[in-house]
Amino acid sequence: MNFISITNLCFFSIFAFCGVTATQAFELAAHKDRLFAYPAFLGTSDGGAYRVVDYQEMRDINGRDAVPERRVEGRYVSTGVRSAQQELSLRTEAGPVRYFAVGKTRGASAIVIYLHGQGGNRRQGVNDFTFGGNFNRIKNLMVKSGGLYLSPDVADFEARGKQQIAALISHYAAASPGAPVFVACGSMGGVQCWWLAEDASMVDRLGGLLLLGSLWHEAFLKSPAFAARVPVFFGHGSNDRVFPVERQEAFFRKILSSAKGYPARFVRFETGTHGTPIRMTDWRETLNWMLAQQ
């Protein structure tokens, strides 16, 4: 395992989004888009910001996985991306944080960080075969697009975890000046997303927040991230027994009613459960929408 000191960092004075001009929107390169596209929509509202996806367990798990919930069929993954994957550790004032980095650790076009929930670890976010191959897809999307994907351990969902994740983001944001940072939070990991939204020092770096089967946070409406109109995506299963979908939907609509035209989207996976958004969220569609808001 390599060990990186947060104090030993090279700063870059000039940054360009893969040669894209300022008048062009940077987009993630395609990767297996047809396989990972949403199934049919059952309905939309709020000008398309709210969508209901026709999720079916027999089709979207049993019909997709060689071993249901354990190993996806081979056509959904491209494992060559492992050559761009490293297991690292970063020394921070709150203690070392261990993580996987996939892609360009310096001069990245964009940065995506996945924060696991209770009982998870850094390996969850780089497992190529679970969750329908969706983690393999985000790794490939970032590598193909000259970006960086990070999957760290979350020490806890209190102050120590917050400090470690903030230090990790600061470290890589400094190594890739101008790269938007997208933070995807699964389940209880949403605590970290909402803390970052309240940290004024983080706001200029944030390109968007993705809440995947996660919780709501009323204080977000008074946060620096809300004032800066940082895009927010919610993915939620209608049968989530941990965080009821009705509460998250109500919070989403409160965001829309509190700031006209706020960049927020909600995808409800009908009949989906707590882990469904991690399996089914279309990374490329969501991140390209967020990139278009920059």
Side-chain angles (χ1 to χ4, degrees), residues 106-161:
R106 295 179 177 176
S109 58
I111 299 169
V112 173
I113 179 170
Y114 170 74
L115 303 179
H116 63 77
Q118 193 77 44
N121 57 48
R122 65 190 183 281
R123 293 183 178 85
Q124 182 188 65
V126 291
N127 191 312
D128 293 309
F129 296 102
T130 57
F131 291 100
N134 218 10
F135 286 123
N136 179 265
R137 188 186 187 214
I138 184 59
K139 292 195 295 183
N140 276 282
L141 285 170
M142 296 312 292
V143 169
K144 283 187 172 184
S145 305
L148 172 66
Y149 173 69
L150 301 169
S151 180
D153 281 336
V154 177
D156 57 38
F157 303 100
E158 298 179 2
R160 180 169 174 247

Side-chain angles (χ1 to χ4, degrees), residues 235-255:
H236 220 92
S238 68
N239 290 342
D240 190 325
R241 302 305 181 201
V242 181
F243 300 115
V245 68
E246 295 80 9
R247 294 288 302 275
Q248 193 68 295
E249 288 173 330
F251 180 58
F252 161 72
R253 292 201 165 90
K254 191 169 185 178
I255 291 175

Side-chain angles (χ1 to χ4, degrees), residues 17-270:
F17 266 158
C18 300
V20 177
T21 68
T23 59
Q24 294 175 304
F26 170 72
E27 291 188 351
L28 298 184
H31 181 75
K32 298 183 183 291
D33 288 8
R34 183 183 61 80
L35 289 176
F36 287 90
Y38 292 129
F41 292 113
L42 299 177
T44 64
S45 64
D46 302 292
Y50 177 89
R51 293 174 290 174
V52 180
V53 167
D54 177 31
Y55 171 78
Q56 298 177 25
E57 182 177 334
M58 288 301 294
R59 178 192 63 207
D60 299 314
I61 294 182
N62 296 56
R64 180 167 168 176
D65 292 358
V67 181
E69 298 188 340
R70 295 192 177 187
R71 190 175 184 88
V72 72
E73 291 182 0
R75 63 196 175 105
Y76 286 88
V77 300
S78 299
T79 56
V81 74
R82 292 176 181 172
S83 63
Q85 180 171 306
Q86 306 175 69
E87 185 174 13
L88 304 168
S89 181
L90 178 71
R91 184 180 294 116
T92 78
E93 292 183 357
V97 55
R98 299 172 70 182
Y99 61 100
F100 286 95
V102 188
K104 297 179 67 174
T105 55
R106 295 179 177 176
S109 58
I111 299 169
V112 173
I113 179 170
Y114 170 74
L115 303 179
H116 63 77
Q118 193 77 44
N121 57 48
R122 65 190 183 281
R123 293 183 178 85
Q124 182 188 65
V126 291
N127 191 312
D128 293 309
F129 296 102
T130 57
F131 291 100
N134 218 10
F135 286 123
N136 179 265
R137 188 186 187 214
I138 184 59
K139 292 195 295 183
N140 276 282
L141 285 170
M142 296 312 292
V143 169
K144 283 187 172 184
S145 305
L148 172 66
Y149 173 69
L150 301 169
S151 180
D153 281 336
V154 177
D156 57 38
F157 303 100
E158 298 179 2
R160 180 169 174 247
K162 175 188 176 183
Q163 292 169 9
Q164 288 185 346
I165 298 305
L168 184 67
I169 291 173
S170 295
H171 178 85
Y172 282 104
S176 297
V181 179
F182 303 96
V183 186
C185 298
S187 188
M188 192 64 180
V191 170
Q192 297 283 356
C193 267
W194 299 130
W195 271 340
L196 290 168
E198 294 177 342
D199 187 340
S201 69
M202 288 284 122
V203 171
D204 287 344
R205 296 166 173 163
L206 292 179
L209 301 173
L210 294 80
L211 284 299
L212 307 177
S214 193
L215 68 165
W216 46 92
H217 187 59
E218 296 288 337
F220 173 69
L221 299 173
K222 298 181 179 179
S223 70
F226 181 78
R229 299 177 70 87
V230 171
V232 181
F233 170 86
F234 299 94
H236 220 92
S238 68
N239 290 342
D240 190 325
R241 302 305 181 201
V242 181
F243 300 115
V245 68
E246 295 80 9
R247 294 288 302 275
Q248 193 68 295
E249 288 173 330
F251 180 58
F252 161 72
R253 292 201 165 90
K254 191 169 185 178
I255 291 175
L256 295 186
S257 65
S258 298
K260 185 178 180 179
Y262 194 94
R265 284 187 171 183
F266 197 110
V267 172
R268 172 182 172 129
F269 297 98
E270 197 61 36

